[in-house]
Amino acid sequence: MTTVTEAGRVSGDVQVVAVDDLFFSMTDDRGIITHANTGFVKYARHPPAQLRGAPHNIIRHPKMPAGVFFLMWETLRAGRPFSGYTYNLAADGSTYSVYATVTPMDGGGYLSVRLSPQCPEWENTANAVYATARQQEEQLRSQGLPRRDIARRGAEHLGALLRDAGFASYEEFQWATLPAEIARHDQLSVGLPLRPSAAGSEAADALELAHHLRGALDSWFGEQALLAELSESLQQVGAKLGVELGATLGGDDDLLAVHAASDPHFREALQVWTQMQPIVRTSVRDLTKTIHQLRLESERTRFSVALAHLQATMTATFLAEVVDRGAEGRGSVEEVVSLTAALRQGLRAMQAQTAAHRALTASAISALERTSSIISIPRTLLLNWASEAPAVTATGAGAAIAAAVSEAIHRTGGTFAEFTALARRCHASGQEHDSTRVGELLTRLEESAARLGVPRPAPDER
């Protein structure tokens, strides 16, 4: 069915974006297109001359909720990159879907790299949320609300829908989806372009550097996947510890009270345990907050590495064009320079995030050691009583309570040990990565890209 909207004519035709077709564009601060690569032009189906100088929303699809773009601009103006699933509308009315990333540049303007979505489980979640949000926006539009109010309320509704889907914010959703898309893309892609026959040329040397840079980022990406798993496990074990510490020692509370009244040693141990509980609970609650921050920092860093990975891939694509087209391809050098600038920004962010992750894991280990020390006295008293109680009362309430106490204390001790071991693994894994290699390769690539803009002198001129 053909629908006419302010965004253009929707024909109902669908373009399927190939796995290795990457889109690149740059805009100024107002969202006006200044650069667009052949992939962008191919699927947008607008003449290149028409795209340059046009607002980027020339390809906006009417099915996209305004709330998404409200969130996008809010994120970009805060200086953070944005990513997400989008429908785009081509000049001929056909629709094509991409996973888009947008990076605010330090010098002004925005750089965007997009790829074909390959994770249907995430894309379907996004599309379902978009459809519901779009319905609400249509209702608001029918009530005559101003456009900006519709977009703002649409963004709020999107946030609520994503919370229902298990994400505290849109940013947490993008932190999960971009790494997943990059991992799937790597599985399906034919790989970075190779030009061995051009070895020795400046462009081929730069392309080789881009390969090495992507390889270093691949390694970093793999480390972040491990850290994400460890952080998730830490949060789960931390929640289990909180439940165990908050539980009773086992058995009937009235029976515990009666036995404590008749057994001074048990009464003493139980009193110490009870008095320590508020302190321990506070420590565990603070520790849980630290672990939550650790998980978020891990997801944020993995997102940043995934974005750098995509930008390095786009850089290699442009450099292959320079190799293939020679002097005619030098127009791509400007895009390479912009991409290396984005990569440099990203590297600074990744280094700061890695440092924050290390500080949080160190803080978590210190908190665990403090909590373990606090709880050690009542645990020891209770364990000593439990080991002696069966000998004094081989049957009856004493033996039953001793068994329950012993089980509860050992269970909590086991969870503490598991928690501490995970925190130490997380800290050790976070310490392993050294970004020096990435920084050195990026510096060499920046220098090579700068030289690409200047023709090499002839042999007799050197």
Side-chain angles (χ1 to χ4, degrees):
M1 180 178 70
T2 300
T3 305
V4 178
T5 74
E6 72 280 359
R9 184 176 61 84
V10 181
S11 67
D13 294 336
V14 175
Q15 299 184 65
V16 178
V17 178
V19 172
D20 285 299
D21 280 354
L22 296 180
F23 299 67
F24 175 89
S25 61
M26 292 185 66
T27 71
D28 63 15
D29 290 337
R30 297 173 300 140
I32 302 301
I33 298 172
T34 58
H35 298 76
N37 76 328
T38 53
F40 187 109
V41 174
K42 172 183 174 182
Y43 289 95
R45 297 182 176 175
H46 287 278
Q50 184 181 14
L51 284 173
R52 190 179 290 267
H56 205 284
N57 65 10
I58 192 174
I59 57 169
R60 181 176 295 185
H61 198 288
K63 284 176 67 177
M64 284 297 297
V68 172
F69 299 104
F70 185 94
L71 288 170
M72 181 188 76
W73 284 111
E74 193 174 55
T75 302
L76 294 175
R77 285 167 180 155
R80 301 190 303 274
F82 177 90
S83 74
Y85 296 95
T86 57
Y87 299 112
N88 287 340
L89 184 65
D92 62 0
S94 61
T95 297
Y96 58 101
S97 297
V98 298
Y99 188 92
T101 69
V102 189
T103 301
M105 301 297 289
D106 286 346
Y110 305 95
L111 182 150
S112 176
V113 182
R114 280 145 285 164
L115 69 163
S116 171
Q118 297 299 328
C119 294
E121 63 277 22
W122 288 120
E123 188 179 12
N124 291 341
T125 296
N127 289 344
V129 167
Y130 290 172
T132 304
R134 181 68 186 177
Q135 287 176 357
Q136 191 223 31
E137 290 179 8
E138 291 292 351
Q139 292 174 358
L140 295 174
R141 190 170 288 107
S142 68
Q143 296 168 15
L145 266 69
R147 232 182 238 185
R148 181 167 178 79
D149 288 349
I150 292 171
R152 177 182 55 77
R153 289 179 62 173
E156 292 169 356
H157 192 210
L158 276 169
L161 292 169
L162 285 171
R163 282 192 293 276
D164 291 341
F167 297 92
S169 66
Y170 183 89
E171 275 199 295
E172 285 197 26
F173 182 68
Q174 73 174 16
W175 294 344
T177 52
L178 177 59
E181 287 291 347
I182 293 300
R184 189 72 57 83
H185 183 270
D186 282 357
Q187 292 172 356
L188 300 173
S189 171
V190 298
L192 294 182
L194 296 166
R195 298 295 186 270
S197 61
S201 69
E202 190 70 66
D205 291 347
L207 178 57
E208 184 179 359
L209 283 170
H211 273 261
H212 290 310
L213 177 61
R214 233 288 297 271
L217 288 167
D218 284 346
S219 175
W220 201 345
F221 188 62
E223 291 168 8
Q224 289 304 313
L226 174 60
L227 279 173
E229 291 176 10
L230 289 173
S231 297
E232 181 65 27
S233 297
L234 263 176
Q235 187 155 323
Q236 292 172 1
V237 175
K240 183 171 77 171
L241 180 62
V243 171
E244 290 177 358
L245 286 170
T248 63
L249 293 174
D252 182 86
D253 287 346
D254 291 336
L255 186 60
L256 284 173
V258 170
H259 195 78
S262 62
D263 186 335
H265 294 296
F266 181 53
R267 182 172 65 249
E268 180 184 58
L270 194 58
Q271 284 174 342
V272 174
W273 175 268
T274 303
Q275 290 165 359
M276 286 291 191
Q277 282 294 300
I279 300 171
V280 173
R281 284 197 189 98
T282 299
S283 296
V284 171
R285 188 165 54 247
D286 292 344
L287 181 60
T288 301
K289 290 179 182 177
T290 300
I291 296 302
H292 179 66
Q293 291 173 343
L294 181 63
R295 182 181 67 80
L296 293 181
E297 200 62 54
S298 177
E299 291 178 357
R300 184 183 291 114
T301 307
R302 193 174 179 220
F303 170 84
S304 296
V305 177
L307 178 59
H309 176 289
L310 178 59
Q311 291 170 345
T313 303
M314 189 74 252
T315 302
T317 302
F318 274 125
L319 286 168
E321 289 181 8
V322 176
V323 173
D324 294 341
R325 299 174 62 196
E328 291 182 4
R330 291 197 177 274
S332 299
V333 174
E334 188 177 350
E335 284 86 345
V336 171
V337 171
S338 296
L339 281 160
T340 56
L343 282 162
R344 177 63 66 183
Q345 286 180 209
L347 178 59
R348 287 195 293 268
M350 289 184 284
Q351 288 170 330
Q353 289 158 1
T354 298
H357 188 278
R358 289 171 179 167
L360 283 168
T361 52
S363 175
I365 290 169
S366 296
L368 273 166
E369 290 172 346
R370 287 195 303 272
T371 306
S372 183
S373 176
I374 290 168
I375 205 171
S376 63
I377 296 173
R379 284 183 72 246
T380 301
L381 287 171
L382 284 167
L383 283 172
N384 287 341
W385 174 84
S387 65
E388 296 170 1
V392 178
T393 350
T395 59
I401 293 172
V405 167
S406 182
E407 180 186 355
I409 293 299
H410 281 298
R411 184 171 61 246
T412 303
T415 304
F416 252 109
E418 182 183 4
F419 204 6
T420 304
L422 273 171
R424 291 191 184 284
R425 277 186 66 197
C426 208
H427 187 59
S429 297
Q431 293 281 72
E432 286 175 6
H433 187 81
D434 182 3
S435 61
T436 304
R437 173 70 173 159
V438 172
E440 290 173 347
L441 287 167
L442 181 54
T443 297
R444 291 171 60 191
L445 184 57
E446 288 168 330
E447 292 169 350
S448 184
R451 289 193 296 271
L452 275 173
V454 181
R456 277 189 170 185
D460 59 346
E461 295 176 340
R462 293 179 184 174

